Amino acid sequence: MNKLTKLVKDWVPTLLIAIVLSLLVRSYVAEAMRVPTESMDPTIQVGDRVIVEKMLWATSLKHGDIVVFHPPIAGETKLFVKRLIGLPGDIVQIKDGALYRNGAKVDETYLAVKMDYSFGPVTVPKDHYFFLGDNRNISYDAHLWDTPFVAKDKLIGKVVLEIPLHKLRD
């Protein structure tokens, strides 16, 4: 057996296993994604990267989580990245520049600018969620969609790590 044949025989199975494992991890466990818009500014800025954990069956979502999902917008193919504001059964309202959940004002320290619109109140249906961007006044999010709720089966994963590449550019 010549050297090339031995090299191929030794390395091809290892490379194939590595490729298959990589595809499985990216499809079902975690994936790096780039944020293309200002809707999550100042938390996540344009061009920053996030690591999205896709094993939602193994974790529970909570208010304030940042989630990647398919929006309830006909014909939209891009994924959205927004903050989870309402869980199933929550009553969500925006009034006087503030968010209210189940009648209580929510302290949103991550917002840079007060909201300049009103919305709701709406009740989040079973197996659905309500999302808003952190840059509320320019974010194309639930307060502007015809259907403001995202079905559970449209969720991709939860952001577990933010990589602020904008700081490298500054």
Side-chain angles (χ1 to χ4, degrees):
M1 182 167 22
N2 68 28
K3 279 187 171 182
L4 182 59
T5 305
K6 182 175 179 356
L7 185 67
V8 168
K9 188 176 181 182
D10 288 346
W11 282 99
V12 167
T14 301
L15 290 173
L16 287 175
I17 290 170
I19 290 168
V20 168
L21 285 175
S22 172
L23 291 172
L24 288 172
V25 166
R26 186 172 179 211
S27 296
Y28 300 106
V29 179
E31 181 177 357
M33 296 180 177
R34 186 180 71 80
V35 177
T37 70
E38 298 174 320
S39 71
M40 286 301 293
D41 190 43
T43 308
I44 305 171
Q45 295 185 16
V46 175
D48 285 355
R49 302 283 195 265
V50 293
I51 304 296
V52 179
E53 180 260 307
K54 294 182 170 184
M55 298 186 307
L56 292 175
W57 53 268
T59 186
S60 60
L61 294 175
K62 62 185 184 312
H63 296 118
D65 284 344
I66 299 173
V67 179
V68 176
F69 57 89
H70 293 281
I73 302 165
E76 180 61 68
T77 58
K78 289 182 260 174
L79 297 176
F80 280 34
V81 179
K82 306 286 181 199
R83 190 171 299 273
L84 177 55
I85 300 300
L87 296 168
D90 283 345
I91 300 169
V92 177
Q93 182 174 20
I94 299 165
K95 65 180 180 180
D96 303 322
L99 170 68
Y100 291 82
R101 183 185 309 118
N102 301 322
K105 186 175 179 182
V106 178
D107 183 26
E108 297 186 287
T109 57
Y110 42 80
L111 296 184
V113 179
K114 190 170 137 176
M115 290 170 278
D116 63 4
Y117 59 87
S118 296
F119 178 85
V122 295
T123 301
V124 182
K126 181 181 179 188
D127 294 326
H128 286 75
Y129 299 88
F130 184 88
F131 294 96
L132 296 173
D134 286 0
N135 196 353
R136 300 277 163 84
N137 296 326
I138 69 155
S139 181
Y140 185 51
D141 55 31
H143 85 279
L144 294 172
W145 303 334
D146 290 337
T147 304
F149 309 111
V150 178
K152 184 177 184 176
D153 65 353
K154 299 295 183 184
L155 305 181
I156 300 298
K158 179 169 69 170
V159 172
V160 293
L161 179 65
E162 300 161 29
I163 305 165
L165 295 180
H166 70 274
K167 290 183 179 180
L168 298 176
R169 294 185 299 268
D170 296 342

